[in-house]
Amino acid sequence: MSKIIQFSTKGALDIGYLSFFQDKEIGFEIKRIYYIYGVPKDAKRGFHAHKKLQQFAWCPDGDITIILDDGNSKESIRLNDSSCGLIIKKGLWHEMIWNKDNSVLCVAASDYYDENDYIRNYEEFLHYVKEGYWNEA
Ligand code: TYD
């Protein structure tokens, strides 16, 4: 369910590090970037799935747990390494837990913001799963 991408990283202890990735590594073209900050420890966010949107999330500073749920099983991924990120495919219910104050979550998304792409009700999400909405043709 989860796919971690390791960034290319340059640098050294005395000057710090620079990490980078390109859209060809994450498998979709990026149309939007957003980031979540100023979040207190133990806060939980997310609680939704997307119908079509593909996302790539990384935590450049801090410690955040992402729980992915495909309607059948759950997986927990810890983002506490600045040099890697997580692909969040469409059709995955996701919850994010802040393990540390002020951890920053950055997200690159495959499309512009569209509230109609969100499924914010878990029962409705399970209904989409049952219908086979995300089954590959
Ligand atoms: P949401 O995706 O629900 O974030 P989280 O799951 O972390 O709580 O977004 C929070 C609010 O911000 C919601 O009202 C939608 C709005 N929003 C935008 O207007 N544009 C965006 O690109 C994003 C990601 C959210």
Side-chain angles (χ1 to χ4, degrees), residues 32-36 44-48 50 55 94 96 98 105 111-115 118 120:
R32 175 167 53 109
I33 306 260
Y34 64 91
Y35 49 98
I36 302 173
K44 295 180 178 179
R45 303 188 57 123
F47 304 98
H48 61 255
H50 285 283
Q55 300 194 92
H94 52 282
M96 296 99 80
W98 263 251
L105 186 69
D111 215 337
Y112 304 119
Y113 171 72
D114 175 9
E115 187 59 36
Y118 280 72
R120 293 192 183 271

Side-chain angles (χ1 to χ4, degrees), residues 36-41 58-66 77-84 97-106:
I36 302 173
Y37 56 96
V39 181
K41 181 178 186 293
W58 71 103
C59 174
D61 187 28
D63 188 339
I64 298 167
T65 296
I66 314 266
I77 300 102
R78 197 144 179 194
L79 293 181
N80 58 359
D81 174 349
S82 324
S83 67
C84 63
I97 304 161
W98 263 251
N99 302 318
K100 192 177 163 196
D101 275 334
N102 294 318
S103 301
V104 178
L105 186 69
C106 296

